[in-house]
Amino acid sequence: MASIVAQCHYIFGLRTGVINNLCYFDEQTVIFPCGNNCVRYNIDQRWQRFIPGTEKSQGMQALAISANRRYLAVSERGEKGTITVYDLQHEQSRKRKVLSGGEVPVLEFVSMAFSPDSKYLIGQAGAPDWTLFYWMWEKQKVMASVKTTGSTNPINQVSFNPQDNTQICVSGNGVFKLFRYAEGALKQSNFLKLESQNFLSHTWMSEERVIAGTETGRLLVFESGDLRWEMSVTTKPATQEADRQLERRKPEEAKSEGAAPAHLPRVTAITSYSKGFACSAGPGTVCLFEKTEEKDNYRKTREIRIPADLCSNEPSHAEQQEMVTLCISPSEETLVTSTDRGQLYSITLSSAEMNKGEQAHFEFLSHSFHSNIITGLSICIRKPLIATCSLDHSVRIWNFETNVLELHKEFQEEAFSVALHPSGLFILVGFSDKLRLMNLLIDDVRTFKEFTVRGCRECAFSHGGHMFAAVNGNVIHIYSSTTFDNLLNLKGHNGKVRAIVWSTDDSRLVSCGMDGAVYEWNTLNSKRESESVLKSCSYTGVTISPDAKTIFAVGTDCTLKEIQECQILREVAADDVAYTTIAMSRSGRMLFAGTSIGTVRAIKYPLSTQKDWIEYQAHSGAVTRMVITFDDQYLLTVSEDGCLLIWKIIDKEGRSLKRDKEITYAEEILITKSDLEEKNQIMMELNTRVEELKMENEYQLRLKDMNYNEKIKDLSEKFVQEIESLKTKNQVLKTEKEKLELSHLEVMGEVVEKHSREQQDFESTSNQKLMLEYEKYQELQLKSQRMQEGYERQLQAMEDSKGRALEELTLFYEAKLQEKMLMLGQCQDESRQQVREFEESKKQMEEDGDREIQDIRIKYERKLREEKEINLRLKGETGVMRKKFSSLQKDIDERNVEIEKLRVEQQKLRGVIKSLEKDILGLKKEIQERDETIQDKEKRIYDLKKKNQELEKFKFVLDYKIKELKKQIEPRENDIKEMKEQIQEMEGELDQVHKKNTQLELNITELRLKLKATDKEMHKDMQRVRDVEALVRRFKTDLHNCVGFIQEPKKLKDSIRELYDRYVQQSDVVDIVGVDADIQREYSRQREHLERNVASLKRKLAKDTEVHRTDNVKIMKENVSLIKEINDLRRDLRLVRTQVHDYKSQMGINKKKLSSSDLTALTSVELKGGSLVARLNFEEEAERIIQLQRVEIQRLKMQGQGHSLRPPSSSTKLPVLTT
């Protein structure tokens, strides 16, 4: 366990309550606080780097980044407020300096800012003193300090003049002051009475101008410390006089109303850029202001809003977020903002300016984060998914492999617990009213089963997924995942159950509660297998070992307990910090615990009574949940600060842990049948739309080809004009090039001199260090040689002494063995001699007589007994000799054992020699490492040389660019010539192609022109008919209105005049000067006659329309049949075109075959003749059809002139012309 290390891998969330909590490091990287860390987040590549906070810190207060984007200052609250400055150019963002108030007691710094040259730093201390410190931070020297305000007027922001290190702006509630550093002190340079204004933010627009935003939505512009004019973020800029009047009215309104209206937008953040400035304008709104041509004025050009959250049950809730920080990228391409609910948004300023006719909306910078305490955390086996729930009513699904937010949805109730099914397709969420089992669809989370468990604080699926456990107060319910039946109810806790965990085989369930009890349940029969009760401790977390024999529990008594068989084996104290949760890996080799102060501890396992752990800075609030993934690669932690932190579990060498088996994640997803059908329908509609667009695009391409051919001629003329303008530009560039060359040579000389000096200094220092390292290496080498020679001499002497002792022992025991062998030979000779004597005496006894038999028998019996005794004695002696021999053999074996021991000692000595050799190797490695440091320094020298080469390359590039600018005119002339030549070649090729197909194309174009002419004539006639019909309708209506005035002559006369002026053209008006009285009387008589006959004309008109309606319908039907015939003729024309194309291709093939043989030539002639005959027949047939169509159209025109010009009824429609 000692070799296991947890490393921060990725984090989701934003720490709120930090001033200036979002800033740009470069164009692609932003820095923001999250948990107890600062995160460097690359927007394009989506990687993160972490800057951990200091230990025993009570939280971050503010951030500030230097003007050169190299240093980051972090203010932290503690027993003594500190400011830590980090070097961002270092790969690990190493800590440079730690600043404090010195002897002045400071609890926190609420705002900070770097000077324009990044050498100085100001920090505004908090209540009650509100002291402003001015540091030269690299030397940790306080240059000056001053009290900026009283205890009742807090300060919100401090900043440096962007062009002056000595001028400082301080703003707050009723405070707007400018200070200047002079003679070792900070002195106030302006004196304004602005007690009625609460300044929330400000920014410098120039060396003398500052714009400040207030709590009432006003923007105040100060120049040289004096108030110049005011404007509102919601209206146009006001004049000075109007604003002064408004200022006079404010105290009276404040007295009458008691406070400012709540609906006024608060300017909580403001930032400047080259075109103007951006500021917040109330909840969810940012306004862009740009400079106008008038002096000292700004105009609101754009309003950007936070979009509604479509995944929320109240989409408009997201629009009510308050902006906390605004930040613009170094290239002024992107605007990013952070909100009071822990969200990050961005927008591209160019797109916001382009779409001025539409409402501009922010987009999420990375993902949507939790905005409240995260209460639930769960993972699955088949997919790399993480499920979290929070008191912000949302459930979110994350992917820990791709580090993205897969899915999220907000509900009406608060979510207290969450559990993912092992398959990753279902999710169990405990809400305040019910426990809901939901499907994880492709783009939604939908409920399909509800359980009557209110306020379920803990729930968990079994590892097999066939059961799940849910806590209801002090009772644990176990349900089936397939039938949803309540299988078991585990009762026994007297207090609320705080944690549950399943064993790996799902046969056991371990629970702990507020009553100090840890129970192990049998999930088959609901019996309690083991228990451990400690009423003095309120348990908050529990886990179980993979073999289900050991239980680990943590609680409020600040200890970690190891429980086996109902007994607490070990208790490990936690240094007065309460553990809130604990997790053990599936392999049983890792144990992690989360604390109430937000840190994570990797605890050595097996547990020891000593405090053996590694502590990591993680969150800014208590860790609420902790889980290790099933492959033991990642540790997941969530906290009360609303952040999800992913840790990579590695060994001390930085390698990932070996997996027992490779895990392949599933890719299937859930989708409902209705959604799938809807998506398929949309796809079909889109496919049809694509086909229609293809047809339209083909038609448009044909038109564009014709337009481009015309534009080529215009471009040739424009190129000539551009050549002349480029000649003039070339002259200007030549002069600029000469100036740049002179300035570049001067700069290059200075850089070369500076580089040569730095190189010489570095070479001298590196040579001295190299000589010192070489001398140390020589000394170590001599020392190792002496040690090696001494150990070799000792080893040789020991080998010689042991060899001599072994030879002496072998010689001694060999001599003893020879003596014993000689004694044994003598005894054997004596026994053989006695046997011979016995045989001789036996022969003599046979020769004696019978009379001496009795005596001899007695005699020899006595002798026989003696001999037997002698034999017995000899046998005893031989046994004694054998025992001596065996004892000698044992001695020999003991000596062999001693020899083996000596060999073992020799091996030990050899091991000592090997260890000494390893030490020598270690020393050699140190020498190699020092050689590597020397090589690194040499590489640095090489890098400096490379920089010099890059400068030379930059010079070469400048020269090359100048040459290219010189050569830009000639390539364009060559391009124009080449284009002209290409056009001429294409025209030649087109002429050749046209010559081959001229006759056929001419015939086809004639037919097309004739058809177009007939169509145009028909459309013109129809348009004329429609115009006349419209004119008649208007005249009828106006005439009907005139008839209404038949009893009023004056109005009738006026209306008739209006009719005359409206419908009689000036060209038709005849000059009436000189007309005699008879014509006037005739005119008046006819007018009266017309007025009398208006009614009769209306009746006749109605009768005529009824009579001619049938004729009009007949004509329309004939027109329909004619249009259908035209469509048929067009289809025939397309078929004939395809036949012509086939004939042309056949003619080309026949021409190729003509040179091969005479027989093929004859057949090609026949085919050509046949094609010409077919073409002539086709042309004659088309001409005949067109003539017939013209005759029919003339007949219809003549017939239509005899009828009234009434439009056809709306029920009859012409068919669509098909092309």
Side-chain angles (χ1 to χ4, degrees):
M1 178 61 216
S3 62
I4 302 301
V5 176
Q7 183 181 26
C8 288
H9 178 64
Y10 212 87
I11 194 166
F12 297 98
L14 173 68
R15 182 169 182 173
T16 57
V18 179
I19 305 298
N20 193 28
N21 62 356
L22 182 61
C23 51
Y24 263 99
F25 171 61
D26 56 32
E27 192 62 33
Q28 291 83 28
T29 309
V30 294
I31 298 175
F32 57 88
C34 189
N36 201 29
N37 304 278
C38 283
V39 181
R40 294 169 59 179
Y41 174 66
N42 189 289
I43 301 170
D44 295 335
Q45 301 177 5
R46 294 181 179 275
W47 53 256
Q48 291 183 351
R49 301 287 184 271
F50 294 87
I51 305 172
T54 57
E55 295 181 4
K56 297 181 180 179
S57 168
Q58 297 178 9
M60 297 181 189
Q61 294 297 114
L63 299 182
I65 193 166
S66 61
N68 58 7
R69 313 279 177 183
R70 178 173 179 178
Y71 303 109
L72 176 71
V74 180
S75 165
E76 292 179 295
R77 180 184 176 89
E79 296 178 358
K80 190 176 182 181
T82 59
I83 297 175
T84 308
V85 181
Y86 296 91
D87 187 354
L88 297 177
Q89 289 190 354
H90 192 270
E91 185 178 356
Q92 301 296 328
S93 300
R94 67 183 178 87
K95 188 183 297 185
R96 287 291 299 267
K97 299 293 180 183
V98 179
L99 308 176
S100 63
E103 297 178 356
V104 180
V106 177
L107 295 177
E108 61 181 355
F109 291 94
V110 297
S111 182
M112 302 175 294
F114 278 96
S115 63
D117 58 1
S118 305
K119 292 182 179 179
Y120 301 95
L121 179 70
I122 54 173
Q124 176 64 59
D129 294 333
W130 298 103
T131 305
L132 177 66
F133 293 90
Y134 185 91
W135 287 283
M136 182 183 286
W137 66 268
E138 289 186 345
K139 295 182 180 180
Q140 295 178 308
K141 180 181 179 182
V142 178
M143 307 290 289
S145 63
V146 65
K147 187 174 181 180
T148 55
T149 183
S151 59
T152 59
N153 296 333
I155 300 298
N156 295 320
Q157 186 180 354
V158 296
S159 65
F160 268 103
N161 187 322
Q163 298 176 7
D164 189 355
N165 289 344
T166 62
Q167 193 171 18
I168 299 167
C169 179
V170 179
S171 65
N173 188 0
V175 178
F176 185 87
K177 296 180 181 179
L178 293 178
F179 292 90
R180 186 171 290 279
Y181 176 74
E183 299 177 357
L186 289 169
K187 299 178 181 178
Q188 187 174 350
S189 59
N190 72 322
F191 297 93
L192 294 174
K193 293 183 179 180
L194 299 167
E195 288 80 3
S196 61
Q197 301 284 1
N198 183 7
F199 295 99
L200 300 180
S201 58
H202 71 262
T203 185
W204 290 83
M205 299 301 297
S206 64
E207 189 175 358
E208 296 181 351
R209 180 177 295 178
V210 182
I211 295 182
T214 68
E215 192 176 22
T216 58
R218 304 293 294 173
L219 294 173
L220 280 70
V221 179
F222 298 88
E223 282 194 6
S224 302
D226 297 327
L227 178 62
R228 294 299 182 189
W229 50 277
E230 295 183 25
M231 59 188 285
S232 173
V233 293
T234 56
T235 60
K236 294 182 179 179
T239 60
Q240 289 186 5
E241 188 62 29
D243 287 332
R244 297 302 169 96
Q245 292 176 2
L246 182 65
E247 186 67 26
R248 293 192 198 101
R249 278 195 232 108
K250 278 183 182 177
E252 298 174 2
E253 292 176 359
K255 290 177 183 177
S256 61
E257 296 178 7
H263 65 273
L264 289 176
R266 301 170 73 239
V267 185
T268 55
I270 185 170
T271 184
S272 62
Y273 65 110
S274 59
K275 293 182 180 180
F277 63 92
C279 67
S280 62
T285 307
V286 172
C287 294
L288 299 180
F289 289 82
E290 292 184 2
K291 297 176 184 176
T292 60
E293 295 179 357
E294 301 178 6
K295 190 179 180 183
D296 299 341
N297 272 341
Y298 293 90
R299 175 175 56 89
K300 184 164 76 171
T301 59
R302 195 72 176 141
E303 192 173 275
I304 309 169
R305 298 189 63 84
I306 293 176
D309 188 1
L310 300 178
C311 296
S312 173
N313 57 342
E314 294 181 4
S316 61
H317 194 60
E319 298 176 353
Q320 303 303 316
Q321 299 181 80
E322 193 79 50
M323 304 295 179
V324 175
T325 305
L326 289 175
C327 185
I328 296 177
S329 62
S331 65
E332 298 185 353
E333 285 290 326
T334 310
L335 171 68
V336 296
T337 181
S338 62
T339 68
D340 58 345
R341 294 179 192 164
Q343 306 298 327
L344 296 175
Y345 294 95
S346 70
I347 190 171
T348 305
L349 291 176
S350 58
S351 65
E353 291 173 359
M354 286 170 63
N355 302 328
K356 288 196 175 179
E358 302 175 1
Q359 180 71 41
H361 291 286
F362 282 103
E363 296 177 351
F364 283 109
L365 183 66
S366 58
H367 304 288
S368 171
F369 301 138
H370 283 294
S371 59
N372 209 331
I373 298 172
I374 300 178
T375 55
L377 172 67
S378 180
I379 58 172
C380 62
I381 301 174
R382 294 286 291 126
K383 291 185 178 183
L385 299 181
I386 308 168
T388 58
C389 64
S390 170
L391 296 182
D392 60 5
H393 300 189
S394 70
V395 174
R396 298 171 193 263
I397 307 297
W398 315 83
N399 191 314
F400 61 80
E401 280 204 336
T402 58
N403 298 324
V404 297
L405 175 64
E406 295 278 354
L407 192 61
H408 83 282
K409 188 173 182 180
E410 289 191 11
F411 300 89
Q412 293 182 352
E413 300 85 12
E414 293 180 342
F416 297 123
S417 60
V418 67
L420 266 178
H421 192 270
S423 65
L425 300 176
F426 313 104
I427 188 170
L428 189 67
V429 184
F431 291 100
S432 57
D433 58 345
K434 288 183 181 180
L435 176 69
R436 292 181 174 88
L437 185 61
M438 296 182 280
N439 287 327
L440 286 180
L441 303 180
I442 186 173
D443 55 358
D444 195 10
V445 181
R446 293 186 189 171
T447 304
F448 74 94
K449 184 65 178 177
E450 294 183 347
F451 302 91
T452 56
V453 179
R454 296 176 61 86
C456 178
R457 299 277 177 176
E458 294 291 332
C459 60
F461 276 100
S462 63
H463 292 88
H466 59 290
M467 293 184 294
F468 64 86
V471 173
N472 187 3
N474 57 357
V475 180
I476 303 172
H477 304 288
I478 296 181
Y479 294 89
S480 171
S481 299
T482 52
T483 61
F484 309 122
D485 295 334
N486 187 0
L487 302 178
L488 298 173
N489 291 321
L490 307 180
K491 299 179 181 179
H493 283 281
N494 295 324
K496 290 183 179 180
V497 178
R498 292 294 304 274
I500 56 174
V501 62
W502 291 85
S503 64
T504 53
D505 59 355
D506 296 336
S507 63
R508 299 286 189 273
L509 180 72
V510 179
S511 63
C512 67
M514 302 284 289
D515 55 354
V518 177
Y519 294 145
E520 182 180 0
W521 309 86
N522 189 318
T523 57
L524 300 177
N525 53 20
S526 72
K527 290 183 178 179
R528 196 184 301 166
E529 297 289 337
S530 65
E531 62 181 27
S532 174
V533 180
L534 185 64
K535 293 186 177 180
S536 61
C537 174
S538 178
Y539 287 109
T540 57
V542 69
T543 188
I544 189 170
S545 61
D547 57 3
K549 293 182 179 178
T550 308
I551 299 170
F552 301 93
V554 294
T556 56
D557 61 350
C558 302
T559 59
L560 167 63
K561 298 177 179 61
E562 183 179 2
I563 302 170
Q564 277 188 6
E565 297 178 355
C566 306
Q567 298 295 324
I568 298 175
L569 293 183
R570 293 180 186 83
E571 287 191 23
V572 180
D575 281 347
D576 297 329
V577 175
Y579 288 127
T580 56
T581 181
I582 189 168
M584 192 173 199
S585 66
R586 304 309 185 271
S587 62
R589 295 185 298 157
M590 296 170 280
L591 190 65
F592 293 94
T595 66
S596 59
I597 60 174
T599 59
V600 173
R601 291 180 178 178
I603 302 172
K604 185 177 180 180
Y605 183 74
L607 297 178
S608 61
T609 55
Q610 298 178 353
K611 301 169 184 177
D612 195 356
W613 61 66
I614 304 173
E615 190 166 15
Y616 302 99
Q617 298 297 316
H619 297 278
S620 59
V623 179
T624 55
R625 304 280 177 172
M626 177 184 291
V627 175
I628 300 176
T629 58
F630 282 86
D631 56 358
D632 290 345
Q633 298 295 310
Y634 298 99
L635 170 69
L636 313 173
T637 58
V638 294
S639 169
E640 292 180 356
D641 59 5
C643 297
L644 166 62
L645 183 53
I646 303 175
W647 304 76
K648 181 77 173 175
I649 300 175
I650 57 176
D651 56 17
K652 284 193 175 180
E653 296 179 358
R655 295 191 299 259
S656 298
L657 300 182
K658 293 182 179 180
R659 304 182 182 183
D660 296 335
K661 59 181 179 179
E662 195 66 27
I663 295 177
T664 56
Y665 292 114
E667 296 182 357
E668 64 268 11
I669 55 173
L670 290 181
I671 184 169
T672 61
K673 186 177 180 182
S674 59
D675 291 344
L676 185 60
E677 290 174 351
E678 184 180 354
K679 290 182 184 295
N680 290 334
Q681 184 65 29
I682 293 170
M683 287 174 64
M684 289 174 65
E685 292 175 358
L686 290 173
N687 287 328
T688 55
R689 179 62 180 160
V690 166
E691 293 296 329
E692 292 174 359
L693 288 173
K694 281 183 180 178
M695 298 294 291
E696 291 179 5
N697 289 333
E698 288 176 359
Y699 177 68
Q700 293 294 331
L701 285 172
R702 292 195 194 99
L703 293 177
K704 285 180 181 179
D705 288 337
M706 296 172 66
N707 293 329
Y708 288 148
N709 290 328
E710 295 175 357
K711 288 181 180 178
I712 286 172
K713 295 179 182 178
D714 299 333
L715 286 172
S716 61
E717 296 176 358
K718 288 182 182 178
F719 278 130
V720 173
Q721 296 175 358
E722 287 182 1
I723 287 167
E724 294 177 356
S725 64
L726 285 171
K727 285 181 181 178
T728 57
K729 286 182 182 178
N730 191 18
Q731 294 295 329
V732 176
L733 288 171
K734 281 182 180 178
T735 57
E736 289 181 357
K737 175 240 179 183
E738 292 174 357
K739 292 179 182 178
L740 286 171
E741 281 182 348
L742 292 173
S743 62
H744 177 68
L745 287 172
E746 293 175 358
V747 173
M748 191 67 188
E750 294 175 358
V751 170
V752 169
E753 289 178 1
K754 185 178 179 182
H755 175 66
S756 61
R757 288 195 299 271
E758 290 178 354
Q759 186 176 1
Q760 288 175 2
D761 296 339
F762 186 73
E763 283 180 354
S764 60
T765 54
S766 62
N767 287 330
Q768 291 175 2
K769 291 179 181 179
L770 187 63
M771 291 300 295
L772 292 172
E773 295 295 332
Y774 186 73
E775 289 175 359
K776 289 180 182 178
Y777 171 71
Q778 292 291 338
E779 292 176 0
L780 289 171
Q781 194 172 9
L782 291 172
K783 189 176 179 181
S784 65
Q785 287 178 358
R786 291 193 201 102
M787 289 174 70
Q788 189 173 2
E789 290 174 357
Y791 282 123
E792 287 178 353
R793 285 195 298 271
Q794 290 179 9
L795 182 63
Q796 189 65 35
M798 289 179 74
E799 285 180 351
D800 294 340
S801 62
K802 296 296 179 182
R804 285 194 299 271
L806 183 63
E807 288 176 357
E808 290 175 357
L809 285 172
T810 51
L811 291 173
F812 175 73
Y813 283 110
E814 283 177 356
K816 274 190 174 184
L817 185 63
Q818 286 177 358
E819 289 177 1
K820 297 298 179 183
M821 291 297 287
L822 289 172
M823 290 174 68
L824 183 63
Q826 290 175 0
C827 291
Q828 288 177 352
D829 291 338
E830 289 177 358
S831 65
R832 282 194 297 272
Q833 186 176 358
Q834 289 176 359
V835 169
R836 284 195 299 272
E837 288 176 355
F838 176 73
E839 287 177 352
E840 288 176 359
S841 62
K842 187 177 179 181
K843 288 178 182 178
Q844 291 175 1
M845 285 169 66
E846 287 176 355
E847 291 177 355
D848 290 337
D850 292 330
R851 59 175 182 269
E852 293 179 357
I853 290 172
Q854 189 68 30
D855 296 333
I856 294 167
R857 183 183 295 170
I858 295 167
K859 181 180 176 181
Y860 281 102
E861 284 179 356
R862 191 167 47 253
K863 284 183 178 181
L864 183 60
R865 284 195 297 271
E866 290 176 357
E867 290 296 331
K868 285 181 179 179
E869 289 176 358
I870 292 168
N871 285 330
L872 288 171
R873 190 171 63 252
L874 289 172
K875 286 180 181 178
E877 288 178 358
T878 55
V880 171
M881 292 301 293
R882 283 176 184 171
K883 288 180 181 179
K884 287 182 179 179
F885 180 73
S886 62
S887 64
L888 288 172
Q889 191 67 33
K890 286 180 181 178
D891 291 338
I892 292 167
D893 292 336
E894 288 176 357
R895 294 298 177 184
N896 290 331
V897 170
E898 289 179 0
I899 291 166
E900 288 296 328
K901 288 181 181 178
L902 291 171
R903 285 179 184 172
V904 171
E905 289 179 0
Q906 186 179 1
Q907 288 178 357
K908 288 181 180 179
L909 291 171
R910 286 178 181 172
V912 172
I913 292 165
K914 288 181 181 178
S915 64
L916 292 171
E917 288 175 354
K918 285 182 181 178
D919 293 336
I920 293 165
L921 289 172
L923 292 170
K924 287 181 179 179
K925 283 183 180 178
E926 288 182 0
I927 294 164
Q928 287 178 357
E929 288 175 354
R930 293 184 180 179
D931 289 336
E932 287 174 357
T933 56
I934 293 165
Q935 288 176 1
D936 291 335
K937 291 175 181 177
E938 290 175 352
K939 283 182 181 177
R940 197 171 174 188
I941 296 167
Y942 179 72
D943 291 335
L944 291 170
K945 291 180 180 177
K946 265 194 172 179
K947 285 182 181 178
N948 192 8
Q949 290 176 358
E950 286 175 357
L951 289 171
E952 292 175 355
K953 288 179 182 177
F954 183 69
K955 180 184 176 184
F956 178 76
V957 168
L958 287 174
D959 295 334
Y960 183 73
K961 284 183 178 179
I962 293 164
K963 290 178 183 178
E964 283 184 342
L965 289 171
K966 288 180 180 178
K967 294 178 181 179
Q968 275 181 359
I969 298 169
E970 294 177 0
R972 291 191 179 182
E973 291 176 350
N974 294 330
D975 292 337
I976 292 165
K977 289 179 182 179
E978 288 175 1
M979 288 174 71
K980 286 180 178 178
E981 289 174 359
Q982 288 178 3
I983 291 165
Q984 289 174 359
E985 289 174 0
M986 290 171 70
E987 286 176 353
E989 291 175 0
L990 286 171
D991 290 333
Q992 291 176 2
V993 174
H994 286 313
K995 285 175 184 179
K996 293 178 183 178
N997 301 321
T998 303
Q999 192 61 37
L1000 290 171
E1001 288 177 354
L1002 286 173
N1003 293 331
I1004 292 166
T1005 52
E1006 285 175 2
L1007 291 172
R1008 285 179 179 172
L1009 290 171
K1010 288 174 183 179
L1011 287 172
K1012 285 181 180 178
T1014 55
D1015 291 334
K1016 285 181 180 178
E1017 288 175 1
M1018 187 174 68
H1019 287 305
K1020 285 179 181 178
D1021 292 335
M1022 291 175 70
Q1023 186 64 35
R1024 287 196 202 99
V1025 170
R1026 286 195 290 271
D1027 293 339
V1028 173
E1029 287 172 352
L1031 186 64
V1032 171
R1033 283 198 297 274
R1034 290 200 299 274
F1035 185 78
K1036 284 178 181 178
T1037 54
D1038 293 337
L1039 191 60
H1040 183 269
N1041 293 330
C1042 289
V1043 172
F1045 301 116
I1046 196 69
Q1047 301 296 328
E1048 298 176 7
K1050 289 184 178 180
K1051 290 185 179 180
L1052 183 64
K1053 182 180 179 180
D1054 294 334
S1055 62
I1056 293 296
R1057 283 181 179 174
E1058 287 177 1
L1059 282 175
Y1060 180 80
D1061 294 332
R1062 189 178 299 165
Y1063 295 103
V1064 178
Q1065 301 293 330
Q1066 287 292 332
S1067 60
D1068 299 333
V1069 176
V1070 182
D1071 190 11
I1072 60 171
V1073 178
V1075 178
D1076 55 1
D1078 294 331
I1079 295 171
Q1080 288 288 341
R1081 285 193 296 273
E1082 182 66 24
Y1083 173 72
S1084 61
R1085 186 180 62 79
Q1086 289 180 2
R1087 185 178 63 185
E1088 290 172 358
H1089 176 71
L1090 288 170
E1091 289 173 354
R1092 286 194 301 271
N1093 294 332
V1094 167
S1096 63
L1097 287 172
K1098 286 182 179 179
R1099 290 191 294 272
K1100 288 180 182 180
L1101 183 61
K1103 289 179 181 178
D1104 291 335
T1105 53
E1106 290 294 330
V1107 170
H1108 296 305
R1109 184 174 294 146
T1110 56
D1111 295 333
N1112 289 331
V1113 172
K1114 183 179 179 182
I1115 290 166
M1116 288 302 299
K1117 288 181 179 178
E1118 289 175 355
N1119 286 333
V1120 168
S1121 63
L1122 286 172
I1123 290 168
K1124 288 182 179 178
E1125 288 178 3
I1126 290 168
N1127 289 332
D1128 295 333
L1129 287 172
R1130 286 179 177 169
R1131 283 195 292 271
D1132 295 335
L1133 183 60
R1134 283 198 293 273
L1135 291 172
V1136 171
R1137 284 178 183 169
T1138 56
Q1139 290 176 2
V1140 169
H1141 183 268
D1142 294 337
Y1143 290 147
K1144 284 162 68 176
S1145 61
Q1146 189 65 33
M1147 285 166 65
I1149 293 168
N1150 292 332
K1151 284 179 182 178
K1152 289 180 182 178
K1153 291 182 179 179
L1154 185 61
S1155 61
S1156 62
S1157 67
D1158 295 335
L1159 181 61
T1160 56
L1162 290 172
T1163 56
S1164 66
V1165 169
E1166 291 174 0
L1167 289 170
K1168 187 173 181 182
S1171 64
L1172 289 172
V1173 171
R1175 187 185 67 188
L1176 292 172
N1177 292 333
F1178 165 72
E1179 290 174 357
E1180 291 173 0
E1181 184 68 22
E1183 189 69 23
R1184 187 177 62 80
I1185 291 167
I1186 291 167
Q1187 290 296 331
L1188 290 173
Q1189 291 291 333
R1190 285 179 178 172
V1191 171
E1192 186 65 19
I1193 290 166
Q1194 290 294 330
R1195 186 182 66 78
L1196 290 170
K1197 284 182 180 179
M1198 296 297 291
Q1199 189 176 356
Q1201 288 176 0
H1203 300 289
S1204 64
L1205 299 174
R1206 181 173 179 82
S1209 61
S1210 59
S1211 61
T1212 306
K1213 293 185 179 179
L1214 289 172
V1216 180
L1217 286 173
T1218 59
T1219 57

